[in-house]
Amino acid sequence: MAGPWDKRPPRAQPPSGPRPGADRPRRHPTASRDPQPAVPAAARSEVRLYGLNAVDAVFRRRPEAIRKLYLVESRIPALKPLLAWCVKHRVGYRVVEEGDLERLAASSHHEGVVADVLRVEPQPLDGWLHGLGPAALALWLDGVGNPHNFGAILRTAAHFGASVLLPAGSPLALSGAAARVAEGGAEAVTLVRLPPAVEAIDALRRAGFQLAATVVRGGEDLFAVELPARLVLVMGAEGEGMDAALAAACDRRLSIPGSGAVESLNVAAATAVFLSRWAARRQA
């Protein structure tokens, strides 16, 4: 009988997640028979994460979300607490070869561990606004789609305590690549699903937010202006920039002055500059 350290490669699975009922967790003689904590229906879709910090962040913040774990043998010492939790709560895990992890993650950057976890759905705007303090910072991502940029934005947002606002109908969602680049930051960032733009802008203004369109040129100098305690920075898509109508609807336009040697910073780098400036103003 195969034990929890069975090294046979897992059955082939598509990158989006395992087939329903496939590779069910195996019982361990010392495993608890208590049922796992109930998970809200809104968070029942799964995402396949990889990378040590990404998986460890889920384990530290919401271990009950872990549904399945794969790792290479060399990662056993580093992941002993997680493996012990899996045994106790009857969560299936398997030691596999490097090539198996590459296929499971669809990436060579898996860092020796892959996990299928329950996805947390974005909050509605009204719920997010209700729980805010006097100072709040958020990023409205208009058309941002590159998962590596999204991951870098999440890492920066986690560092500065910013939330991320996703437009109505936006397909942008956490992926394995984004979570790995975020280095655990994805678990610390609140994602908010916006209603249609006009309704969202009105609700944000009623809550005391200013909306600032971030533009390559023609905006106020970021380093010379006062920034409000409640601010939404609207970040445009890679390449095309933000929607012109959305930019026009914002209260102000902000630009990052530079040498002119390059046209602009990419959206992830620009996000770090904008967020650090707001944070510096709050500490002054």
Side-chain angles (χ1 to χ4, degrees):
M1 177 180 295
W5 301 108
D6 181 15
K7 298 184 182 180
R8 292 176 298 174
R11 295 181 180 179
Q13 298 175 10
S16 59
R19 302 186 315 276
D23 194 19
R24 295 182 178 179
R26 289 157 291 174
R27 288 188 176 180
H28 187 278
T30 61
S32 167
R33 294 182 179 274
D34 295 333
Q36 293 186 22
V39 179
R44 293 194 182 280
S45 61
E46 293 184 8
V47 58
R48 176 160 288 170
L49 303 184
Y50 52 89
L52 277 174
N53 287 335
V55 173
D56 182 63
V58 177
F59 176 51
R60 286 184 287 107
R61 288 178 174 267
R62 50 187 188 105
E64 72 282 353
I66 300 172
R67 316 316 282 164
K68 197 174 285 92
L69 183 71
Y70 304 96
L71 68 157
V72 294
E73 189 168 9
S74 62
R75 286 303 187 196
I76 292 174
L79 296 172
K80 275 186 177 179
L82 173 53
L83 295 175
W85 192 94
C86 288
V87 170
K88 181 177 180 180
H89 295 275
R90 303 198 307 272
V91 173
Y93 67 87
R94 182 169 291 179
V95 176
V96 298
E97 301 299 330
E98 185 88 13
D100 298 317
L101 280 191
E102 289 190 15
R103 286 190 290 274
L104 286 164
S107 171
S108 60
H109 303 294
H110 48 71
E111 298 175 1
V113 59
V114 172
D116 292 334
V117 306
L118 294 175
R119 185 191 302 277
V120 176
E121 296 298 325
Q123 294 184 16
L125 178 60
D126 288 347
W128 176 71
L129 290 172
H130 182 71
L132 294 178
L137 178 63
L139 300 166
W140 181 322
L141 301 186
D142 179 46
V144 175
N146 182 289
H148 295 93
N149 277 338
F150 185 39
I153 288 170
L154 290 173
R155 183 174 184 175
T156 301
H159 182 79
F160 290 107
S163 298
V164 170
L165 312 182
L166 303 176
S170 169
L172 189 62
L174 186 67
S175 65
R180 183 190 66 81
V181 174
E183 293 287 355
E187 289 295 311
V189 176
T190 298
L191 298 180
V192 180
R193 178 66 65 190
L194 295 174
V198 172
E199 182 181 340
I201 291 170
D202 183 56
L204 288 164
R205 285 197 177 121
R206 288 199 312 270
F209 280 90
Q210 278 191 21
L211 281 81
T214 60
V215 296
V216 173
R217 60 185 65 86
E220 300 174 88
D221 183 338
L222 173 65
F223 302 119
V225 298
E226 291 292 332
L227 298 176
R230 286 193 165 191
L231 179 64
V232 173
L233 293 164
V234 182
M235 312 300 299
E238 304 92 346
E240 299 86 0
M242 76 182 63
D243 178 78
L246 177 57
C250 290
D251 303 300
R252 62 199 304 180
R253 298 162 71 88
L254 296 175
S255 296
I256 301 171
S259 67
V262 294
E263 181 182 8
S264 65
L265 297 173
N266 88 339
V267 65
T271 295
V273 176
F274 281 110
L275 296 195
S276 63
R277 182 59 175 167
W278 182 88
R281 284 297 190 187
R282 303 275 64 76
Q283 296 168 6

